[in-house]
Amino acid sequence: SDHPGRTPYGVPIEKIDLGVTQIPEDVFMEFLQDISPRFAMDKYDLLENNCNDFSNEAAVFLTGNGIPDKVSGLPGEVLNSPLGPMIKQMIS
């Protein structure tokens, strides 16, 4: 089961407060339905359409604040590294 502040890999080393929301649950559920086709399993891409992209959209919708660039920019850093093209080819 899920526990706040934990992951299957242990306790996060950092928690970032993105703010609070006044969005009602039913409005958020409708938002999730609207974006779900873009985040379906067959659309997942580790480097270009991943859980961070979903989390960013949800955070912006709920709070007006996106996830930090240091998180959302990680795939770009990998792609722009000297090994980036090789890594992309291996996982594509």
Side-chain angles (χ1 to χ4, degrees):
S1 68
D2 294 329
H3 301 286
R6 307 204 81 201
T7 74
Y9 310 104
V11 178
I13 58 172
E14 182 179 10
K15 296 177 190 176
I16 302 167
D17 187 346
L18 300 179
V20 297
T21 188
Q22 299 299 318
I23 304 292
E25 183 178 355
D26 62 321
V27 174
F28 182 56
M29 297 305 288
E30 185 177 324
F31 165 79
L32 292 176
Q33 287 292 326
D34 290 346
I35 69 167
S36 66
R38 289 189 287 118
F39 293 102
M41 189 182 310
D42 64 323
K43 302 282 195 257
Y44 183 86
D45 183 288
L46 181 62
L47 298 172
E48 296 178 2
N49 191 43
N50 59 48
C51 57
N52 290 335
D53 296 300
F54 169 80
S55 296
N56 190 61
E57 279 202 45
V60 169
F61 180 81
L62 290 169
T63 69
N65 300 310
I67 63 175
D69 291 341
K70 68 181 182 181
V71 176
S72 62
L74 288 173
E77 286 184 39
V78 170
L79 289 174
N80 291 325
S81 74
L83 295 176
M86 182 179 70
I87 293 170
K88 182 167 179 146
Q89 184 177 12
M90 287 172 42
I91 62 175
S92 294

